[in-house]
Amino acid sequence: IVVTGLGLNPSGTLDAIEQLPEAVTLAFAPYGKDLERTAGLARAEGHEIFLEVPLEPFDYPDSDPGPDTLLTGQAPRDNLRKLFKVMSSIGGYAAVVNNMGARFTASGTDFGPMMEELGSRGLGYLDDGSSNRSLAPQLAQANRVPFGRADMMLDGNPARAPILEALTALEARARDEGTAIGVISALPVSVQTITEWARELEQKNIVLVPASALMKS
C-alpha cells in the first residue's frame, strides 16, 4: 500500500505516520511545509518513504500538479533543474512516484532524461497505474531503474465502504498474482480505513510489505 499526498496537511500527515502500519509506504508531495521533519518522523516510525514528482497531464494547465511540473517539449536541462529542486525537498526516499503525468510519461524524449537520472542515483520508480500509455516500464528497464506499477487506485470514491470494496479486489489480485500494489490518498477516511483493514490481514494470510519489495530491478 502506498499512501500519497503526505506533507500537504501537517496534522493529517502526523496522524497517518502514527496510525498506519509501518509496512505501509508513505509518498510525500514536494510542496509541503516542514517536510524534512515529517519525513524524518515517518522514517523513525519504520515507514519506507517515496517522493512524488509532478509531471505534465494531458489537460495541463487545467490540471496542474504544481509550479515545478516537468513538461513535454522543454529542454532536458530545464526539466532536470525542476527535478533536482523537487528531489531536494526531502532525503532518504527509496523511489519516486508520478503525480499525474499522462502526457509526460508517454513521451520518451522528455521522460528518458528523468529516468536516466533516477538510474544514476539508484532510485526506483513507481508508476501509479493511471495511464496505459506510460513508457515507464521500457525506460526503467533501459536505465536499470527498479520499477513497479500500481494495480489499483483505492479511493477513487473516498468513502469507507467503496475503499473496503477496492481493498477486497486488491486482496483477490494478490492471491491470483502473488503480489499487488494499491495506491491511496492521505485523506483521513482513507488512512483510517487502511489502518482498520490492515489489522485483519494476518488471519487472511496476507502479508503487507513496503512497496519497494515488489519493485523489479
Side-chain angles (χ1 to χ4, degrees), residues 3 12-13 22 34 59 80 96 104-105 116 128 146 151 158 163-164 167 187 203 205 214 217:
V3 178
T13 297
E22 63 181 47
D34 210 11
D59 59 347
L80 288 174
V96 304
F104 190 86
T105 59
E116 189 177 339
D128 72 358
D151 298 287
I163 293 170
L164 288 172
L167 286 165
L187 291 169
Q203 63 201 54
N205 291 321
L214 305 184
S217 298

Side-chain angles (χ1 to χ4, degrees), residues 10-189:
S11 63
T13 297
L14 292 176
D15 287 345
I17 291 168
E18 290 170 7
Q19 292 175 28
L20 290 164
E22 63 181 47
V24 171
T25 296
L26 303 182
F28 281 79
Y31 303 124
K33 295 176 181 175
D34 210 11
L35 280 180
E36 278 291 359
R37 187 179 75 85
T38 49
L41 285 172
R43 290 196 303 272
E45 288 291 325
H47 292 281
E48 169 179 81
I49 65 171
F50 284 4
L51 175 66
E52 292 179 47
V53 176
L55 305 175
E56 181 185 359
F58 278 113
D59 59 347
Y60 181 87
D62 291 337
S63 294
D64 185 355
D68 297 312
T69 300
L70 278 63
L71 301 171
T72 55
Q74 299 268 308
R77 66 177 178 277
D78 293 334
N79 275 331
L80 288 174
R81 190 171 64 244
K82 291 179 185 175
L83 179 66
F84 298 154
K85 183 180 176 185
V86 167
M87 291 174 78
S88 68
S89 58
I90 57 171
Y93 47 92
V96 304
V97 56
N98 60 295
N99 178 9
M100 301 193 198
R103 183 188 294 275
F104 190 86
T105 59
S107 169
T109 305
D110 298 291
F111 195 15
M114 171 182 158
M115 204 62 97
E116 189 177 339
E117 185 64 31
L118 297 181
S120 72
R121 294 176 181 234
L123 289 167
Y125 181 87
L126 179 71
D127 189 304
D128 72 358
S130 60
S131 172
N132 290 326
R133 296 174 61 176
S134 174
L135 299 175
Q138 302 92 307
L139 291 172
Q141 185 174 17
N143 291 284
R144 298 182 178 177
V145 173
F147 175 74
R149 188 175 194 271
D151 298 287
M152 203 174 295
M153 170 62 73
L154 299 169
D155 60 349
N157 184 345
R160 185 175 182 276
I163 293 170
L164 288 172
E165 279 182 34
L167 286 165
T168 299
L170 192 72
E171 290 173 24
R173 185 171 182 88
R175 287 198 175 90
D176 290 344
E177 304 291 333
T179 63
I181 298 174
V183 173
I184 195 164
S185 69
L187 291 169
V189 65

